[in-house]
Structures are given as structure tokens and as C-alpha cells.
């Protein structure tokens, strides 16, 4: 059968689906080019170093990391309580993701930095009110006998998203209907001490609960 005959034999339904996919892709590409750059409500330079019982101090990654991330604004700090709980906070914000500077997932970055992901699941985090709970992605990571628990989520255009897949879907949808591709990535890390991963998880959830209302003052909805 010649190529011409094969094309003629292609089922009508498959041809329709192919055309629809091409149309959606064309619209999505056009939408990505028309998106606006959306800044933070206020710069992370004003981010509080006191959040509930947590007292923080800022630090920075190596400049090469920021270049690789392509982030427009960010905050990196370690927060501690009087009883010795410790959480590292990183928030990366992108005014626009239309030029190839996309939010990076720890599931891709951490293995490249030498950390092995031994477990991944979803964790329920309490918000400021009874109906404000949200889900975060939880990772157990190890490197040379050192163990940490990670909680992270994507907070973009009024949504808290706990799925890399849905993060990408919403990015395309919002680029078309809202003309926006701004977004943020929120990551919390605590060390596992004495083999008690549950205690580290509870520390992270407590900090995330106190952090949630603070984020509303900085991240666009």
C-alpha cells in the first residue's frame, strides 16, 4: 500500500482528533506569546523573619543555581523555634514562564544534586481556617546517611497545586484564558533527627500552617 493510500485509509475519527490537537496547540502557543508579566505584590526583600514562633535568617544559593533556575524573585531562609525545630524555606517566583524559564521540580533537581528520593506521597496541611486545608507533595530524601523530609507545592495564579502534571496543565490553560504564566514554587525541608521522620514531618506541617497566610501578602492571586 502506497503512502497516499495509507492516508486515505486513516479513520475519520482519528483525522478529526489530529486536527483538534493541532488547533489546541496553535492556540496554546499563541496564548503563551500574549501573556503578561505579573510581579509580586511586594518584593521578597520585605519577607518577615518572624513567622509565629519561628525566627529566621536569610541565606543564598550559589549564583550558578539562580542562573539555572531562571527565577525572577526568591527567598531562602532557615527558621527555628526556641525548642530547636528547624525548617529551611525556599520560595521561587516567576513573573512569566513563557520564555523557557519554568518552575523546576525537586523530583528532577534533587537526584542531580546527589539526593536519592526514597518515598513520595501527598500530605494534608492545615490552613488558616477549617476549610483552608491543602495538599503538599512530601518526599523522603537521603544522601550519604543524611536524611531529610521535604514538603513542596506550586502556588500559582490563585491555586495551590500538588501535582507536577496539573501544574503544567494549568499553565497552558491560564496562558490562554487569563494570559498569565506567573507562578511560584514553595519548598520546605527539615532534617530527620534520631530516625524520627514523623517528627520532621510535623515540624514542616506546623511551619506550613503558619506560612500560609503570609504568602497571600506576596503572591498574586
Amino acid at each position: 500500500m502506497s503512502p497516499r493510500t495509507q492516508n486515505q485509509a486513516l479513520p475519520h475519527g482519528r483525522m478529526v482528533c489530529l486536527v483538534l490537537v493541532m488547533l489546541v496547540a496553535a492556540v496554546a502557543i499563541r496564548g503563551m506569546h500574549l501573556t503578561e508579566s505579573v510581579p509580586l505584590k511586594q518584593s521578597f526583600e520585605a519577607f518577615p523573619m518572624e513567622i509565629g514562633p519561628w525566627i529566621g535568617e536569610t541565606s543564598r544559593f550559589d549564583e550558578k543555581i539562580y542562573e539555572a533556575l531562571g527565577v525572577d524573585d526568591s527567598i531562602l531562609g532557615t527558621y527555628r523555634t526556641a525548642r530547636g525545630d528547624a525548617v529551611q524555606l525556599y520560595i521561587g517566583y516567576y513573573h512569566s514562564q513563557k520564555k523557557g524559564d519554568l518552575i523546576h521540580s525537586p523530583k528532577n533537581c534533587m537526584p542531580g544534586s546527589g539526593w536519592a528520593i526514597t518515598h513520595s506521597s501527598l500530605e494534608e496541611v492545615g490552613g488558616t481556617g477549617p476549610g483552608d486545608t491543602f495538599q503538599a507533595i512530601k518526599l523522603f530524601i537521603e544522601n550519604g546517611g543524611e536524611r531529610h523530609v521535604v514538603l513542596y507545592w506550586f502556588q500559582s495564579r490563585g491555586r495551590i497545586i500538588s501535582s507536577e502534571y496539573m501544574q503544567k496543565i494549568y499553565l497552558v490553560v491560564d496562558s490562554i484564558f487569563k494570559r498569565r504564566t506567573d507562578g511560584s514554587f514553595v519548598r520546605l525541608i527539615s532534617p530527620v533527627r534520631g530516625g524520627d521522620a514523623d517528627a520532621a514531618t510535623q515540624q514542616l506541617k506546623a511551619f506550613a500552617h503558619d506560612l500560609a497566610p503570609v504568602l497571600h501578602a506576596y503572591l498574586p492571586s
Side-chain angles (χ1 to χ4, degrees), residues 40-100:
L40 289 167
K41 291 180 179 178
Q42 55 180 318
S43 171
F44 282 143
E45 291 182 1
F47 202 82
M49 289 295 102
E50 184 173 346
I51 300 175
W54 305 85
I55 305 299
E57 58 180 358
T58 59
S59 56
R60 285 187 63 82
F61 294 127
D62 186 275
E63 288 302 321
K64 291 182 179 179
I65 294 179
Y66 291 105
E67 291 174 6
L69 292 173
V71 69
D72 291 303
D73 207 340
S74 64
I75 176 71
L76 175 67
T78 300
Y79 288 77
R80 294 180 172 86
T81 64
R83 68 179 186 180
D85 297 338
V87 173
Q88 185 195 71
L89 165 69
Y90 169 72
I91 308 172
Y93 183 74
Y94 297 76
H95 294 173
S96 170
Q97 297 178 75
K98 66 181 179 181
K99 296 180 180 179

Side-chain angles (χ1 to χ4, degrees), residues 4-51:
R4 179 183 179 86
T5 307
Q6 288 177 357
N7 289 338
Q8 289 175 340
L10 191 65
H12 178 71
R14 288 181 61 188
M15 283 293 294
V16 171
C17 288
L18 181 60
V19 170
L20 288 175
V21 168
M22 292 175 65
L23 287 173
V24 170
V27 172
I29 292 170
R30 177 174 173 78
M32 291 288 277
H33 285 293
L34 294 175
T35 54
E36 300 176 355
S37 179
V38 181
L40 289 167
K41 291 180 179 178
Q42 55 180 318
S43 171
F44 282 143
E45 291 182 1
F47 202 82
M49 289 295 102
E50 184 173 346
I51 300 175

Side-chain angles (χ1 to χ4, degrees), residues 196-218:
D196 194 347
D198 287 339
T201 300
Q202 293 308 313
Q203 287 180 28
L204 292 174
K205 291 176 67 173
F207 182 79
H209 172 272
D210 295 335
L211 175 68
V214 177
L215 294 178
H216 293 305
Y218 291 84

Side-chain angles (χ1 to χ4, degrees), residues 82-130:
R83 68 179 186 180
D85 297 338
V87 173
Q88 185 195 71
L89 165 69
Y90 169 72
I91 308 172
Y93 183 74
Y94 297 76
H95 294 173
S96 170
Q97 297 178 75
K98 66 181 179 181
K99 296 180 180 179
D101 290 330
L102 301 174
I103 295 175
H104 294 236
S105 168
K107 291 180 180 178
N108 298 325
C109 298
M110 286 186 165
S113 301
W115 291 92
I117 299 173
T118 61
H119 179 75
S120 175
S121 62
L122 293 178
E123 188 75 24
E124 198 82 9
V125 177
T128 55

